[in-house]
Amino acid sequence: MTALAGPTADAFWATSLRRWNAVCWVLFPVLAVGLAAIDRPGVSKYVALALLGSVMLCYAVLDRFPGNPVVRPHVYLSVLVVALGGLAYLRGNYAALFMVTLPHYWMFGRTPRASMSFLGLATAGTLIGTVLRQDGWSVAFFSETLVSTLIVVAVGVLIGLWAHSVVEQSTERARLIDELERTQAQLSEAHQRQGAADERERMAREIHDTLAQGFASIIVLAEAARAGLDSDTARSVQQLRSIESTARENLAEARELVGSVQGPGQVAAGSVAQTLRRTLDRFAEDTGLTVDADLRDLECDQQTRIALLRCTQESLANVRKHARASTVGVVLARQAYGVELEITDDGTGFVVEESAGFGLQGMRKRLAELGGRLTVTSSVGDGTRVLALIPLPAGESGVSA
């Protein structure tokens, strides 16, 4: 019966039809038996039975074979209109059939306009048939037939319109729910894609700031060691030791990336000043540059510690590769608004607006994730100043005991 219900209210009409079918298949035979048993024999009796039989036949075909090409919903309603008008003219006992089939106009009409049209035709047909059978207008027709018929029709119209309103609201609600579910699915998919992209970006940044920098350092040390094998063996041995140490650190960094040993909210082992000091000592040893460091002894969470360490590593890597500096200054201090890390060099400098390196972008994004910011000041021939600011929660002192 879904095919009969129409695209806007299939479930509602299908359920209604299934329930009303049981009523109709009881009442139709009762009406037929009543006509056959009570009415006197004659042509009008057999014609009335034929009209009722045609209604039952069309309804049965439509019920059992909803997809048939002949008896469509509007065809059935047309047959019903003709049968009601004929019964009103022949016998006058059409009221039971009229009330039994009243819901069919709304079930099979598909739209309120079609339902009202067929119901209006059925009403007009029964009234005209009654007038013709009574040979004109009469007081009994107005007081009994017309009034009762109009009352039944009015109630049927109100119920039908209410049902269509309920169906339209249910359909609209179902559409909105379906649209909401699709939107939620799209948002979930977008969040998953964004999460995957963020994770790839995070891993790329971590690899760039750790493994890539270590490998670059190993390459520079290896080239220097090879160049000094004949002239400065002791220096080459020291550089080979630095290569080994850097490789071990890279291995430890790789294991930490893969295993995520420490969660982002944990307090780092040791102070950030000690961590930066080891990094600066290794840089000075590898490059031979002078490093002036003023590192305040601070405690902070793992994310802040990693951000400060990565900013330091990236800045030192840029000094090593581009600055051609002789002195590097590093200041780590606790300010009222948070932690401040300043790294300066006396190198060649560059035009900040023309720099689009992955390292600076990575530092900015890393600090932005913690609510901080990165400021880079430089000009050609005047060195470079990198300032990283990271706010700390109000309850943290930022100074280790």
Side-chain angles (χ1 to χ4, degrees):
M1 298 305 298
T2 301
L4 303 177
T8 61
D10 289 347
F12 178 84
W13 293 130
T15 302
S16 301
L17 281 171
R18 282 195 300 269
R19 293 174 179 175
W20 196 246
N21 277 346
V23 177
C24 288
W25 288 122
V26 172
L27 295 180
F28 279 155
V30 170
L31 293 175
V33 170
L35 282 174
I38 298 175
D39 286 1
R40 294 185 301 273
V43 176
S44 62
K45 175 180 179 178
Y46 299 123
V47 174
L49 287 173
L51 291 174
L52 180 59
S54 64
V55 172
M56 295 174 62
L57 178 62
C58 290
Y59 184 72
V61 172
L62 195 59
D63 177 40
R64 300 301 179 184
F65 308 100
N68 77 89
V70 178
V71 182
R72 307 305 301 149
H74 287 182
V75 173
Y76 165 69
L77 293 179
S78 300
V79 172
L80 183 58
V81 168
V82 173
L84 286 171
L87 288 173
Y89 174 72
L90 292 172
R91 314 299 296 176
N93 50 0
Y94 65 89
L97 180 63
F98 190 91
M99 288 186 289
V100 168
T101 57
L102 190 60
H104 290 180
Y105 297 100
W106 302 100
M107 293 179 182
F108 297 109
R110 298 295 184 91
T111 64
R113 182 187 296 273
S115 299
M116 293 284 289
S117 298
F118 279 107
L119 183 56
L121 290 174
T123 303
T126 56
L127 294 176
I128 293 172
T130 302
V131 170
L132 294 176
R133 181 172 54 82
Q134 295 178 353
D135 295 327
W137 309 95
S138 65
V139 175
F141 171 78
F142 283 102
S143 62
E144 298 177 4
T145 305
L146 181 61
V147 172
S148 60
T149 301
L150 292 180
I151 290 175
V152 171
V153 171
V155 172
V157 169
L158 292 177
I159 294 175
L161 292 177
W162 171 81
H164 267 283
S165 175
V166 171
V167 169
E168 289 178 357
Q169 292 177 7
S170 300
T171 302
E172 179 65 14
R173 187 161 49 247
R175 184 189 66 80
L176 293 175
I177 291 174
D178 183 64
E179 183 177 345
L180 178 61
E181 290 176 348
R182 288 198 304 270
T183 302
Q184 288 177 337
Q186 292 172 356
L187 286 175
S188 177
E189 184 179 353
H191 288 161
Q192 290 178 354
R193 290 197 301 266
Q194 184 62 42
D198 291 343
E199 182 63 17
R200 286 195 297 269
E201 181 180 350
R202 187 190 70 82
M203 291 300 297
R205 190 169 61 226
E206 293 290 348
I207 291 173
H208 175 272
D209 293 345
T210 57
L211 303 182
Q213 302 294 358
F215 290 139
S217 177
I218 289 173
I219 291 173
V220 172
L221 291 171
E223 291 175 347
R226 183 178 57 195
L229 283 177
D230 297 331
S231 57
D232 192 351
T233 304
R235 178 65 176 171
S236 297
V237 170
Q238 179 60 38
Q239 290 167 337
L240 289 175
R241 290 174 180 167
S242 295
I243 291 175
E244 179 183 358
S245 178
T246 303
R248 292 184 184 276
E249 291 176 0
N250 263 22
L251 179 60
E253 292 281 4
R255 287 173 175 168
E256 185 174 354
L257 286 175
V258 173
S260 300
V261 177
Q262 281 189 304
Q266 294 178 340
V267 176
S271 71
V272 66
Q274 294 174 349
T275 302
L276 296 186
R277 173 63 67 183
R278 290 193 295 268
T279 301
L280 295 175
D281 290 344
R282 174 59 54 79
F283 174 79
E285 180 182 341
D286 293 344
T287 62
L289 301 181
T290 300
V291 177
D292 294 330
D294 181 8
L295 305 177
R296 181 78 175 273
D297 196 13
L298 304 173
E299 281 188 357
C300 52
D301 60 29
Q302 180 76 337
Q303 284 183 306
T304 302
R305 172 181 176 272
I306 291 176
L308 293 171
L309 176 61
R310 299 298 183 244
C311 288
T312 302
Q313 291 173 329
E314 177 62 27
S315 299
L316 295 179
N318 289 334
V319 171
R320 183 200 300 267
K321 290 185 290 186
H322 308 296
R324 295 196 292 274
S326 59
T327 302
V328 177
V330 180
V331 177
L332 177 67
R334 175 69 162 93
Q335 304 294 347
Y337 46 79
V339 178
E340 181 179 278
L341 173 66
E342 182 184 46
I343 302 173
T344 58
D345 68 74
D346 59 354
T348 57
F350 64 99
V351 179
V352 178
E353 291 75 12
E354 297 178 358
S355 176
F358 183 82
L360 290 178
Q361 293 179 0
M363 283 194 288
R364 287 192 176 95
K365 289 183 179 180
R366 187 186 294 277
L367 293 175
E369 291 173 357
L370 300 177
R373 66 180 185 273
L374 180 75
T375 303
V376 180
T377 306
S378 181
S379 60
V380 177
D382 291 333
T384 301
R385 176 178 179 264
V386 176
L387 180 64
L389 302 176
I390 303 177
L392 290 178
E396 292 188 17
S397 65
V399 181
S400 63

